[in-house]
Amino acid sequence: MLKGARVTGLASAVPERVLTNYDLEKMVDTSDEWIFSRTGIRERRIVEPGQGASHLSVQSSRETLKRAGVAPEELDLIMVATVTPDSPLPATSCLVQSELKAKNAAAFDLVAGCSGFVYALSAGSQFVKGGAYRKVLVVGVDILSSLTNWKDRTTCVLFGDGAGSCILEPGEPGEGVLAVSLGADGECSKFLYIEAGGSKLPPSRDTVSRGQHYIQMAGNEVFKHAVREMESSLVKALKECGLGMGDLDFLIPHQANVRIIDALRRRAGLKEEQVVVNIDRFGNTSSGSIPIAMEEACRDGRLKKGDIVGLTAFGAGLTWGTAILRW
Ligand code: UT7
């Protein structure tokens, strides 16, 4: 019999260094006015050189374990959702396992663009509901500053670095993760990609000099798909657990653009105060964005026990996904 999978710990970690829109005005031909009005972003956090995804993951995970009252050696599985691992090998989750001294945990990374955390939460909840594992650490982390062309104003103003994590443990049916809906459309991979640095086009002097290791994005195309697919996955996931839009207490969307979030909110018929938005302070932190926002809403008391919460994300792949939780 499938159990429930509840969230027992939640924390986040962002770098100390703040990069404001005014700082960016000195780097590329842009303005605080353009960035804020088009995206809702005022500032973002950027890691120091030498700090990779494992650095923020470990910081966030240590606090998560503490809040959940779970010892590292009790963890059965560590999943890290990221497109920016410390390096291609080993998986960042193995580095996290080592730093935490979680010696009994299996570990793997998961790549699903900015939807990574929702994908990982969905996978983690299946391990718990099915009874295979009792304590699963799910981390969403990205250091997009490492893939950003700081001379390209169309992308460099959008991203920030950050991590968030939670632990999933068995609960009663109807508790925690109630339903998920995931989707992908590889036909649209051309709208958000990095050309080089993988097995098809390994990094070389040429690829670097051509800037092929940087993020490329057709923003308008991504925008259109984002609103449509997030809404449809939200509807599907709610239906899966016998609920509708009117049952949602809170929506925690991926923080890519406040205009995307507003469009989704209007389509979902939600009030402003029902939607968690922190993009102004962190920009788009990819896999980090939902757990960072979720932790903030939990810490400031907005999320209350029993609330129905929708987590919905969209990203490169293209991928999208929603998880419905009873808090
Ligand atoms: O998390 C993964 C998923 N990613 C997303 O969801 C991103 C989705 N897309 C977006 O958020 C928006 O499309 C952007 C914020 C990326 C762009 O906003 P937009 O309203 O779609 O602007 P645009 O690309 O149509 O550009 C409008 C104008 C252009 O100038 P012209 O051709 O009209 O003269 C751009 O060159 O704004 C110009 N522009 C800028 N100007 C000042 C583009 N970037 C900047 C900039 N500063 N940073």
Side-chain angles (χ1 to χ4, degrees):
M1 155 80 171
L2 284 182
K3 306 181 190 72
R6 60 197 177 99
V7 173
T8 59
L10 178 61
S12 65
V14 293
E16 277 176 25
R17 181 150 58 110
V18 176
L19 185 72
T20 67
N21 291 350
Y22 298 107
D23 295 327
L24 283 162
E25 284 181 357
K26 295 175 203 140
M27 295 161 64
V28 285
D29 180 15
T30 191
S31 64
D32 172 60
E33 198 280 326
W34 191 96
I35 301 171
F36 186 67
S37 63
R38 298 287 178 126
T39 70
I41 302 168
R42 288 272 188 220
E43 59 186 43
R44 69 286 291 141
R45 303 295 184 98
I46 305 291
V47 292
E48 299 302 330
Q51 292 179 336
S54 69
H55 176 83
L56 293 183
S57 300
V58 168
Q59 217 178 310
S60 177
S61 299
R62 283 208 171 109
E63 187 59 27
T64 302
L65 287 163
K66 205 162 101 187
R67 291 181 185 179
V70 170
E73 58 276 13
E74 288 181 81
L75 289 176
D76 299 309
L77 174 66
I78 299 174
M79 296 166 64
V80 174
T82 188
V83 299
T84 51
D86 279 21
S87 60
L89 281 175
T92 295
S93 52
C94 292
L95 303 175
V96 173
Q97 189 241 26
S98 156
E99 281 292 314
L100 295 178
K101 302 196 170 33
K103 56 183 193 310
N104 298 312
F108 69 91
D109 286 6
L110 184 152
V111 181
C114 299
S115 313
F117 182 78
V118 172
Y119 263 68
L121 192 80
S122 303
S125 71
Q126 298 307 313
F127 281 115
V128 173
K129 287 184 181 187
Y133 292 129
R134 296 190 61 82
K135 293 189 194 318
V136 175
L137 174 66
V138 181
V139 183
V141 58
D142 268 307
I143 311 293
L144 285 187
S145 62
S146 65
L147 302 175
T148 298
N149 179 354
W150 293 103
K151 294 193 170 113
D152 175 8
R153 70 175 184 172
T154 67
T155 54
C156 77
V157 303
L158 305 172
F159 306 123
D161 302 332
S165 48
C166 70
I167 291 175
L168 292 169
E169 294 188 59
E172 295 302 315
E175 212 184 358
V177 182
L178 302 181
V180 296
S181 169
L182 305 177
D185 183 0
E187 293 284 320
C188 296
S189 56
K190 57 185 180 280
F191 298 137
L192 183 46
Y193 65 96
I194 295 171
E195 206 172 352
S199 55
K200 192 173 172 188
L201 195 54
S204 68
R205 201 173 293 216
D206 280 351
T207 63
V208 171
S209 70
R210 286 197 286 265
Q212 290 168 303
H213 56 298
Y214 291 132
I215 295 178
Q216 308 285 336
M217 180 167 70
N220 285 323
E221 291 296 339
V222 178
F223 195 120
K224 276 187 271 177
H225 283 82
V227 178
R228 210 167 45 224
E229 303 300 358
M230 283 200 290
E231 187 198 12
S232 77
S233 80
L234 190 55
V235 170
K236 274 191 209 154
L238 281 164
K239 197 169 164 209
E240 183 73 29
C241 50
L243 301 173
M245 286 291 192
D247 296 306
L248 269 184
D249 293 301
F250 281 98
L251 180 65
I252 307 183
H254 170 48
Q255 311 281 310
N257 188 319
V258 79
R259 291 186 292 137
I260 293 178
I261 296 173
D262 274 344
L264 181 63
R265 179 182 64 75
R266 281 194 297 272
R267 286 184 183 213
L270 296 171
K271 299 188 197 106
E272 272 185 36
E273 57 272 24
Q274 287 179 284
V275 181
V276 179
V277 179
N278 65 4
I279 190 172
D280 51 320
R281 282 164 291 130
F282 302 112
N284 178 351
T285 55
S286 185
S287 287
S289 103
I290 286 187
I292 293 172
M294 189 158 77
E295 193 277 336
E296 196 170 299
C298 180
R299 184 164 29 91
D300 67 19
R302 261 178 291 174
L303 300 186
K304 302 210 168 40
K305 195 170 161 46
D307 279 349
I308 298 293
V309 181
L311 313 178
T312 189
F314 187 85
L318 297 175
T319 58
W320 54 87
T322 293
I324 306 295
L325 277 72
R326 190 187 305 277
W327 202 251

